[in-house]
Amino acid sequence: MPASDEVGRRLAEDGVSLLEALDGLGALYRAIAGGEPAFDAVRALSSSWAEASLIYLHSLSCEDPLTGLSSLAHLRSRLGEIYREAELRGTSVPATHALVVVEPLYPAGITPVERELRLIDVAECLRIVFAGGDVLGRLGARRAAALVDRDPNLPDQVETVRALITQWRLDTDEPQLARVWIEGLPAAEQWAGRVLDELARPA
């Protein structure tokens, strides 16, 4: 299994397709053991190939391809820029910026595909309300956030996001519920990174 795991990762990095990688594994097993590969070996190779491929794909873009939301790494990078700018200007990030966090509330038995579709809806609602230069990012599998300026209209914008999400689906009479809140940012950049990590942690 460790060898299959390593081979899967290296083949993905070299641009070899998963089908070719599995064919190679099968040929190796038949040549050495005279049979088909063990399930654990196939699973290890496939899993490490997929992980390496995702890392490569995510490195090509700072956006999640499904929702169009910025990656967590991009959100973290932009947050770092804001802290550096604040230090140069002598301002306070907690006073000038905040995160608007959205966590859809899913009914029991929802599938992973339905969860992703719900997050796409959330992304569209955030784009409507925060249409300026705000960074809209994905926080793990279940949350999205907007990195926004703190201004007097922010509470009204949050209520607009909540109302939009609730009524977004026209194909159902059931309200689409979500928790929406303003997450304050800490004074120091390193603590801001921990806030992002905590928000992205699986529930």
Side-chain angles (χ1 to χ4, degrees):
M1 281 180 57
S4 296
D5 184 81
E6 180 65 15
V7 167
R9 183 182 63 76
R10 289 196 180 194
L11 290 176
E13 289 171 354
D14 290 342
V16 175
S17 73
L18 179 58
L19 186 59
E20 289 177 285
L22 290 172
D23 285 345
L25 182 67
L28 178 67
Y29 263 76
R30 283 189 293 278
I32 293 175
E36 291 302 311
F39 174 76
D40 287 343
V42 172
R43 181 178 174 183
L45 183 140
S46 301
S47 177
S48 65
W49 184 94
E51 286 175 14
S53 296
L54 282 175
I55 289 169
Y56 172 72
L57 289 173
H58 288 161
S59 72
L60 295 178
S61 172
C62 61
E63 286 187 356
D64 173 48
L66 192 61
T67 62
L69 294 169
S70 294
S71 65
L72 182 60
H74 179 68
L75 189 58
R76 191 186 309 275
S77 175
R78 181 63 189 117
L79 200 52
E81 290 172 5
I82 288 171
Y83 275 91
R84 289 189 292 278
E85 289 168 8
E87 190 176 349
L88 289 172
R89 294 178 181 171
T91 57
S92 166
V93 172
T96 60
H97 290 80
L99 288 169
V100 175
V101 183
V102 181
E103 179 181 4
L105 300 178
Y106 304 108
I110 192 168
T111 67
V113 172
E114 289 170 324
R115 259 201 315 266
E116 287 297 308
L117 291 174
R118 199 73 175 84
L119 211 51
I120 292 171
D121 291 344
V122 166
E124 286 302 313
C125 294
L126 284 172
R127 269 193 277 283
I128 290 169
V129 177
F130 300 108
D134 305 301
V135 178
L136 309 179
R138 182 169 182 155
L139 298 172
R142 296 174 177 267
R143 292 178 178 149
L147 177 57
V148 300
D149 293 334
R150 268 196 189 274
D151 60 45
N153 295 328
L154 186 55
D156 292 336
Q157 289 174 309
V158 169
E159 286 309 310
T160 303
V161 168
R162 184 178 286 112
L164 265 178
I165 290 171
T166 301
Q167 301 299 326
W168 187 254
R169 302 294 306 187
L170 300 177
D171 58 352
T172 177
D173 293 331
E174 293 183 17
Q176 305 297 296
L177 301 178
R179 288 179 60 219
V180 185
W181 72 93
I182 299 171
E183 184 78 29
L185 291 168
E189 181 182 348
Q190 64 267 30
W191 292 107
R194 293 187 185 184
V195 168
L196 288 181
D197 290 339
E198 192 61 35
L199 289 170
R201 197 181 305 280

